[in-house]
């Protein structure tokens, strides 16, 4: 059964996710930069893994809010424009930055960050899920922006 996204719930979710996402990727970036200087620091590795998990949860919330289909044709123009704008932001800034940070975490894992090494497969799955999310968001931008 196809689930159609509730536009108002989608807008609220996008607003919350984009805000939380921006803060989380900034924090993850700081942690990875510190970790690069000391690959043995397990506290920093655990912190990095926690931020990666938070990003995974945010992606999951957004995918759930998007449902199988998004139909904004009968929605107020302001709501439709806001959804399209936030979707474009996530494509252009959010997911690009997140992808770079996941790749940086994989690089650090290969350089010897032991706890990150144990999670490389999960991080690769994260990269794939980002691609799927971008496809859904791009569909919104193409149709309504």
């Amino acid at each position: 059964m196809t689930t159609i996204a509730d536009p108002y719930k989608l807008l609220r979710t996008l607003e919350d996710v984009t805000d939380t996402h921006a803060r989380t990727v900034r924090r993850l970036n700081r942690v990875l930069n510190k970790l690069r200087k000391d690959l043995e620091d397990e506290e920093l590795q655990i912190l990095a893994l926690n931020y990666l998990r938070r990003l995974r949860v945010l992606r999951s919330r957004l995918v759930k809010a998007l449902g199988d289909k998004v139909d904004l044709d009968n929605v107020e123009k302001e709501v439709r424009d806001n959804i399209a704008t936030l979707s474009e932001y996530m494509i252009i800034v959010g997911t690009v930055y997140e992808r770079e940070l996941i790749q940086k975490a994989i690089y650090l894992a290969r350089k010897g960050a032991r706890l990150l090494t144990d999670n490389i497969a999960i991080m690769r799955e994260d990269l794939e899920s980002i691609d799927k999310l971008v496809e859904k968001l791009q569909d919104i931008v193409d149709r309504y922006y």
Side-chain angles (χ1 to χ4, degrees):
M1 185 167 113
T2 302
T3 58
I4 298 176
D6 174 356
Y8 300 98
K9 181 181 177 188
L10 176 58
L11 178 57
R12 284 190 305 275
T13 302
L14 268 166
E15 288 171 338
D16 183 45
V17 165
T18 54
D19 182 49
T20 307
H21 187 272
R23 286 193 313 268
T24 305
V25 292
R26 279 194 304 269
R27 290 175 181 152
L28 176 59
N29 187 44
R30 282 195 298 267
V31 168
L32 292 176
N33 286 337
K34 289 178 185 177
L35 186 58
R36 187 176 48 182
K37 296 172 187 167
D38 182 11
L39 291 173
E40 303 296 319
D41 190 333
E42 289 194 0
E43 263 185 54
L44 287 175
Q45 291 181 55
I46 290 169
L47 196 54
L49 290 171
N50 284 336
Y51 285 131
L52 289 167
R53 182 186 52 77
R54 287 180 190 173
L55 290 171
R56 203 171 298 122
V57 168
L58 290 173
R59 271 195 316 278
S60 170
R61 281 185 55 207
L62 190 50
V63 167
K64 184 178 177 184
L66 286 166
D68 296 324
K69 182 179 178 190
V70 176
D71 183 9
L72 304 176
D73 293 331
N74 299 323
V75 178
E76 298 169 20
K77 181 179 177 356
E78 183 178 337
V79 171
R80 184 175 47 243
D81 290 348
N82 287 342
I83 290 172
T85 300
L86 289 171
S87 296
E88 185 176 45
Y89 166 80
M90 284 301 292
I91 293 168
I92 294 172
V93 179
T95 57
V96 170
Y97 196 27
E98 182 178 354
R99 173 179 283 288
E100 289 173 3
L101 292 175
I102 292 171
Q103 290 170 339
K104 185 189 267 187
I106 291 171
Y107 173 79
L108 293 174
R110 290 184 180 146
K111 287 292 183 183
R114 186 184 58 78
L115 296 177
L116 293 180
T117 302
D118 297 341
N119 289 278
I120 285 180
I122 295 169
M123 289 185 268
R124 287 200 176 113
E125 289 172 11
D126 288 342
L127 292 173
E128 291 174 16
S129 72
I130 289 171
D131 292 340
K132 291 175 185 171
L133 176 61
V134 167
E135 286 177 19
K136 287 185 171 198
L137 294 172
Q138 188 62 53
D139 181 53
I140 292 172
V141 171
D142 291 345
R143 290 173 46 209
Y144 300 108
Y145 199 64

